[in-house]
Amino acid sequence: MSETGTEQYNFKIVRSFAFSALFWLVIGLIVGLWIAFEMFNPALNLAPWLSFGRLRVVHTNGLGLGFGLAGIFATSYYILQRLTRTALPFPRLAQAHLYLFNTTIALAALSLMAGMNTTKEYAELEWPIDIAVVVFWVMFAINVFATLIKRREKQMYISLWYIIAMTIAIAILYIVNNLEIPVTLFKSYTVYAGANDANVEWWYGHNIVGFIFTVPILAMFYYFLPKSTGLPIFSHRLSIISFWALNFAYLWTGAHHLMLSPLPEWIQTVAIAFSIFLIAPSWGSVINGYYTLQGNWEQLRTNYLVKFFIFGITFYGLQTLQGPLQGLRTLNAFFHFTDWVVGHVHMGTMGWVTMIISASFYYMIPRITGNQLYSIKLANTHFWLILVGQLIWTITMWIAGIQQGAMWKATNPDGSLMYSFLDTLTSLYPYYRLRFAAGVIYFAGILIFVWNLIMTVRQAPQKDEAEQPIQNKELQSWG
Amino acid sequence: MGITSKPVVFAVLSAAVILIGSTVTVFIPLFMPSTQPVSAYVKPYTSVELEGRDIYMREGCNNCHTQTVRPLRTEVLRYGEYSKPEEFAYDRPFLWGSRRTGPDLNRIGGKYPDSWHYRHMQSPQSMFEKSNMPPYGWLAKNRLDTSNSYKKTSILGYGFSEQDVQVQISQYRSKVTADTYLSKETRDLVTPAELHHELTEMDAIIAYLQKLGRDVKNLETKK
Amino acid sequence: MNSSALFYFLFTLLLSVIFGGIIRYYYNPKRKQKIEEPKHRMLDDEQ
Ligand code: HEM
Ligand code: HEM
């Protein structure tokens, strides 16, 4: 392809991954609504494969691995080519990556419903699927590094650092945590026992959240915010400090998920300390985002994309304050195991993650299809629905969590427990109903999002589909 | 300008930075016996209990139930003695859980007779109208598959011979199918007639539940 | 101070010094222009 000098960016792969992400998003949310309903009315446990215990992991994997990873692949393939001014070196490999990825996620969902579940959170998949995940990850990594090595822009911009860090970290985390000995094709046992298994698992669990729901989302944020506003990021050097501090500190904090458990106390203490330190690099990115708009805040009204970015980074900021606080021993003793944590999770995923991925797709899809966005008005409706849905969802869960924690702890004057376990649970059902309703609002917003993008690509293209030649000006070496 | 123009160096440096915290807090503790101490008072699962544990994992009970009692006053009051590291030496994987929609189960062994569990697993709502625990009646309709039981215990290093495993299985079968079994009536009620004389998945998961927290008493008296 | 407290203290000190060093390096006014350059270049990767 490259010999003729008319190298083409490959945006077909971006588009395919973007629509894969939307597909898994819708599936994952339907399952989310299903389990949210089961939590106040067990009637939906219609069959073994629809029972709560099996479906909950379909929800978390479908959205984390299906929606999350596909969104990350779509935006990474786009950002990589743009920032390096280089076409994807191995387009066929990327195509194979797409097929393998979607097959793997489909098999993952089916196998989880069939009960093939290692029970290690966010690593529930059995060993053959683990191998498929590792293979598609390597396929992705080959294109990442080949593009970077061939690049025609000397310095790597911030987003590329985050993509590199993610590529490496997930490979390490995934392989170490999933070391297991097969019994049959469908069953294996982990190599770690008891407290060690817990420690490895939450080192993985916390960081898989970090390197799927934080690091690559920051890569999107740092790229698409400046691009869609036309404003350079406030400070490149602040982002350098934040980047290294975040990557260094993140890996020490897994044990804040194991507070007051039989895990050795010093590991827990170290985790608390680093969790608090994490506020600094996290807020480095928040500040960088806010200050980028300095003097141009009117864009919040005039540019529909800016809302997504600014609300998204605000939820990220809140999330990274709430996280360290609930990691403190005394607060964690109260909040651990309660609905409070579920609220924390969904502010991050429904607020920060989906807001940023939504805006990134709205920016990319029109550009790679050469079409206008089908409707900005619908995009605004989408924004308000997911914002309101998410706020009701999470606030409800925080209140539920406080009530749950308080009722578990409450004692009578004679020192006996005031509430039975079931008293507490049934007092939470009204909150679970409200959460379901909020989920429906959010889901309506997501359907509008999907519709808007489908209509965008289905319009008659204004430019010839997808491929745009790379311009050669400004490619002189410098620096 | 520095490392931001050298992707390979950048990647290596990222890996190094990531590995420091991982090594100190995770990899080194793997090789410290104090992280997961062992005690002769804590016994491995029998093969029937282990099969039950695998069903517990298959059904994702861990998504609603924790298995670790924290050293907090009200928690000990509610569930019993707090969890000790020795208790988990044979747990691969650990099943401490992260969400407590249902009660903690680390001390469930011996809390109720088997008959209670048969009824409860068959239909939690028949005992507690408002419970949101799914009914698991189908477990009693599935014959327990023991074809890999020996392989499983040997992978886990429990030190049973093939014959030990056979004996454990047939002993447990004799126990729950005998006329003298105290929970016979309830068991027969939830189990289809053709499986009355065989082991079901329900039998195994109940055997597992009854094992949970049994060894901690010995562990405590020793201390 | 017992030995583990001393160890924690020294470790924290070491990390703080490294952290401070990195900040000083990147916030040196001499390097400002060069370090900030990519943020402008990325804006025109479309043409
Ligand atoms: C309509 C929107 C949604 C609904 C109704 C929903 C519902 C639920 C429910 C009921 C749970 C289980 C909570 C429990 O066990 O108490 C859950 C857990 C979870 N959900 Fe969602 N969810 C939604 C959106 C999302 C999104 C968009 C993501 C990710 C991108 C996500 C990721 C997760 C994760 C990671 C967990 C596990 C939390 C934990 O273990 O603490 N959810 N969700
Ligand atoms: C400085 C940053 C953060 C810190 C220190 C932090 C801290 C914590 C802590 C202590 C818990 C465990 C609570 C418990 O079980 O008692 C937790 C759970 C969780 N957090 Fe965060 N958090 C941070 C940022 C984020 C972000 C940005 C996300 C993105 C979505 C996120 C997603 C989650 C998820 C999914 C869980 C649930 C894990 C599970 O139990 O399954 N966190 N976090």
Side-chain angles (χ1 to χ4, degrees):
Chain A
M1 233 173 129
S2 58
E3 275 114 357
T4 58
T6 54
E7 240 180 308
Q8 306 259 290
Y9 284 129
N10 183 326
F11 289 142
K12 209 173 105 221
I13 192 71
V14 176
R15 187 170 132 169
S16 307
F17 267 116
F19 280 92
S20 308
L22 296 179
F23 176 76
W24 294 116
L25 175 61
V26 171
I27 301 282
L29 290 178
I30 293 173
V31 177
L33 287 169
W34 195 281
I35 58 171
F37 191 90
E38 284 177 340
M39 283 193 72
F40 60 83
N41 186 340
L44 279 187
N45 293 287
L46 294 165
W49 57 276
L50 286 174
S51 65
F52 183 89
R54 295 201 194 173
L55 271 195
R56 190 187 193 272
V57 288
V58 179
H59 171 64
T60 56
N61 283 274
L63 288 169
L65 299 184
F67 164 62
L69 282 188
I72 290 163
F73 292 142
T75 49
S76 298
Y77 279 135
Y78 183 86
I79 294 174
L80 265 170
Q81 299 185 80
R82 283 293 192 197
L83 282 179
T84 58
R85 301 176 203 252
T86 306
L88 209 58
F90 306 114
R92 286 229 209 89
L93 184 68
Q95 199 64 24
H97 170 206
L98 173 79
Y99 295 141
L100 180 60
F101 169 80
N102 281 312
T103 313
T104 307
I105 301 300
L107 287 177
L110 293 176
S111 67
L112 290 173
M113 285 194 270
M116 294 159 204
N117 177 348
T118 67
T119 72
K120 299 197 23 166
E121 267 183 80
Y122 313 119
E124 284 96 348
L125 307 176
E126 267 301 350
W127 66 274
I129 301 183
D130 285 340
I131 293 175
V133 171
V134 172
V135 171
F136 76 60
W137 198 258
V138 171
M139 294 163 111
F140 171 66
I142 290 174
N143 259 320
V144 169
F145 285 105
T147 316
L148 288 171
I149 288 165
K150 278 186 60 187
R151 79 192 182 290
R152 302 205 270 181
E153 175 71 40
K154 189 147 196 296
Q155 283 211 51
M156 296 184 294
Y157 176 71
I158 311 169
S159 301
L160 296 177
W161 319 336
Y162 280 102
I163 291 173
I164 294 176
M166 164 193 74
T167 310
I168 298 212
I170 292 193
I172 298 173
L173 292 162
Y174 200 85
I175 291 173
V176 173
N177 188 44
N178 280 300
L179 290 180
E180 50 213 354
I181 303 172
V183 181
T184 65
L185 192 58
F186 311 116
K187 173 80 193 164
S188 64
Y189 290 115
T190 172
V191 301
Y192 314 105
N196 274 317
D197 190 41
N199 198 26
V200 173
E201 157 58 27
W202 280 111
W203 162 79
Y204 166 88
H206 179 70
N207 290 291
I208 207 74
V209 167
F211 286 87
I212 289 183
F213 288 155
T214 297
V215 165
I217 312 296
L218 285 171
M220 299 176 201
F221 179 77
Y222 276 115
Y223 181 80
F224 292 108
L225 175 70
K227 294 301 283 188
S228 48
T229 54
L231 305 167
I233 197 78
F234 164 65
S235 169
H236 204 248
R237 49 189 183 177
L238 176 58
S239 68
I240 296 181
I241 314 279
S242 308
F243 173 83
W244 290 108
L246 187 89
N247 278 300
F248 177 74
Y250 232 97
L251 281 293
W252 297 74
T253 58
H256 66 213
H257 292 265
L258 295 169
M259 218 47 81
L260 297 171
S261 76
L263 190 73
E265 204 176 316
W266 70 268
I267 305 182
Q268 303 178 28
T269 308
V270 170
I272 299 175
F274 278 92
S275 303
I276 295 167
F277 173 75
L278 267 179
I279 297 175
S282 307
W283 274 77
S285 296
V286 178
I287 289 170
N288 231 334
Y290 286 159
Y291 274 81
T292 297
L293 280 182
Q294 210 176 18
N296 291 285
W297 281 100
E298 82 287 349
Q299 285 209 18
L300 205 50
R301 271 183 297 108
T302 56
N303 181 343
Y304 75 102
L305 287 176
V306 173
K307 283 196 290 299
F308 286 94
F309 288 117
I310 291 304
F311 276 80
I313 199 75
T314 304
F315 288 124
Y316 177 67
L318 294 174
Q319 185 82 351
T320 53
L321 288 177
Q322 186 184 46
L325 283 177
Q326 74 194 10
L328 297 175
R329 222 178 235 112
T330 41
L331 290 179
N332 194 266
F334 187 87
F335 286 125
H336 193 42
F337 299 141
T338 69
D339 282 304
W340 174 276
V341 180
V342 178
H344 168 75
V345 172
H346 288 84
M347 172 167 63
T349 54
M350 299 166 79
W352 156 243
V353 175
T354 23
M355 288 262 176
I356 302 299
I357 293 187
S358 298
S360 307
F361 283 14
Y362 277 146
Y363 177 91
M364 286 192 318
I365 300 291
R367 272 175 184 70
I368 64 183
T369 55
N371 291 345
Q372 296 283 339
L373 183 68
Y374 173 66
S375 164
I376 291 185
K377 214 162 145 196
L378 282 182
N380 282 324
T381 316
H382 155 208
F383 172 81
W384 289 110
L385 286 175
I386 65 170
L387 177 69
V388 170
Q390 181 264 125
L391 283 174
I392 303 178
W393 206 119
T394 49
I395 293 171
T396 308
M397 284 301 106
W398 293 328
I399 299 172
I402 293 171
Q403 179 170 320
Q404 190 174 31
M407 287 176 80
W408 283 348
K409 256 179 81 121
T411 48
N412 294 310
D414 66 355
S416 61
L417 292 168
M418 196 180 288
Y419 301 103
S420 77
F421 192 88
L422 217 53
D423 288 343
T424 309
L425 177 72
T426 50
S427 80
L428 299 174
Y429 288 165
Y431 299 109
Y432 291 169
R433 289 197 176 86
L434 188 55
R435 185 245 313 258
F436 178 79
V440 171
I441 297 176
Y442 173 90
F443 186 54
I446 293 296
L447 289 180
I448 290 176
F449 171 44
V450 175
W451 171 253
N452 208 355
L453 288 181
I454 291 179
M455 292 313 285
T456 303
V457 298
R458 288 187 60 185
Q459 295 167 32
Q462 284 141 20
K463 264 193 258 165
D464 202 18
E465 171 83 350
E467 324 278 303
Q468 295 161 28
I470 296 172
Q471 310 284 315
N472 273 323
K473 80 172 192 195
E474 287 207 59
L475 285 177
Q476 74 286 59
S477 70
W478 57 275
Chain B
M1 223 333 286
I3 45 174
T4 58
S5 49
K6 300 191 185 68
V8 177
V9 177
F10 194 96
V12 172
L13 199 66
S14 305
V17 162
I18 286 163
L19 284 171
I20 296 172
S22 311
T23 307
V24 176
T25 62
V26 180
F27 301 160
I28 292 176
L30 273 179
F31 299 97
M32 292 163 62
S34 57
T35 316
Q36 178 52 68
V38 283
S39 154
Y41 291 93
V42 177
K43 300 274 181 281
Y45 301 100
T46 66
S47 23
V48 177
E49 289 160 1
L50 185 68
E51 291 295 347
R53 192 173 196 268
D54 286 344
I55 295 162
Y56 184 97
M57 290 168 58
R58 186 186 77 196
E59 299 305 335
C61 311
N62 59 300
N63 284 308
C64 284
H65 290 287
T66 55
Q67 286 191 20
T68 170
V69 181
R70 295 175 294 169
L72 301 170
R73 194 175 58 88
T74 47
E75 203 153 315
V76 171
L77 254 179
R78 193 181 292 277
Y79 302 115
E81 188 60 38
Y82 69 86
S83 303
K84 312 288 183 297
E86 292 88 342
E87 293 181 67
F88 303 97
Y90 297 102
D91 282 19
R92 282 169 56 182
F94 79 116
L95 290 172
W96 296 351
S98 70
R99 182 72 183 91
R100 208 173 254 168
T101 303
D104 189 277
L105 296 180
N106 200 27
R107 299 286 173 256
I108 193 73
K111 182 175 171 188
Y112 304 113
D114 291 357
S115 57
W116 188 95
H117 289 289
Y118 282 108
R119 279 208 296 143
H120 182 255
M121 293 294 289
Q122 166 83 4
S123 169
Q125 287 70 31
S126 70
M127 291 169 93
F128 308 99
E129 200 196 328
K130 295 217 164 134
S131 173
N132 65 2
M133 173 159 153
Y136 285 98
W138 72 79
L139 295 180
K141 302 194 177 91
N142 292 346
R143 183 181 283 112
L144 185 70
D145 176 6
T146 54
S147 54
N148 290 311
S149 297
Y150 171 65
K151 194 169 172 200
K152 287 177 174 179
T153 57
S154 64
I155 285 175
L156 293 175
Y158 287 177
F160 302 145
S161 71
E162 197 153 2
Q163 212 203 338
D164 293 340
V165 169
Q166 287 313 321
V167 170
Q168 286 168 358
I169 294 170
S170 62
Q171 268 183 355
Y172 198 76
R173 185 191 313 112
S174 322
K175 178 185 157 191
V176 296
T177 55
D179 287 335
T180 49
Y181 180 47
L182 286 175
S183 304
K184 181 171 169 40
E185 212 176 309
T186 353
R187 180 180 185 272
D188 285 354
L189 216 61
V190 305
T191 313
E194 70 270 21
L195 291 176
H196 277 183
H197 299 287
E198 308 215 32
L199 278 183
T200 65
E201 294 187 344
M202 184 73 98
D203 298 326
I205 201 168
I206 291 173
Y208 168 63
L209 290 171
Q210 295 291 24
K211 147 89 179 181
L212 288 174
R214 280 295 176 96
D215 297 329
V216 77
K217 289 162 197 108
N218 305 331
L219 191 67
E220 281 311 290
T221 38
K222 179 207 75 172
K223 279 186 180 168
Chain C
M1 228 200 270
N2 63 25
S3 67
S4 77
L6 183 70
F7 179 78
Y8 278 118
F9 175 74
L10 289 178
F11 183 62
T12 312
L13 196 70
L14 175 74
L15 289 182
S16 311
V17 169
I18 296 175
F19 191 49
I22 295 174
I23 293 179
R24 280 201 49 179
Y25 178 84
Y26 282 107
Y27 270 77
N28 187 327
K30 272 202 319 239
R31 298 190 180 85
K32 172 158 185 184
Q33 223 203 328
K34 227 168 187 186
I35 291 176
E36 296 293 330
E37 183 129 29
K39 77 181 189 194
H40 300 292
R41 286 184 62 84
M42 66 82 75
L43 281 176
D44 60 40
D45 65 1
E46 233 118 317
Q47 301 82 49

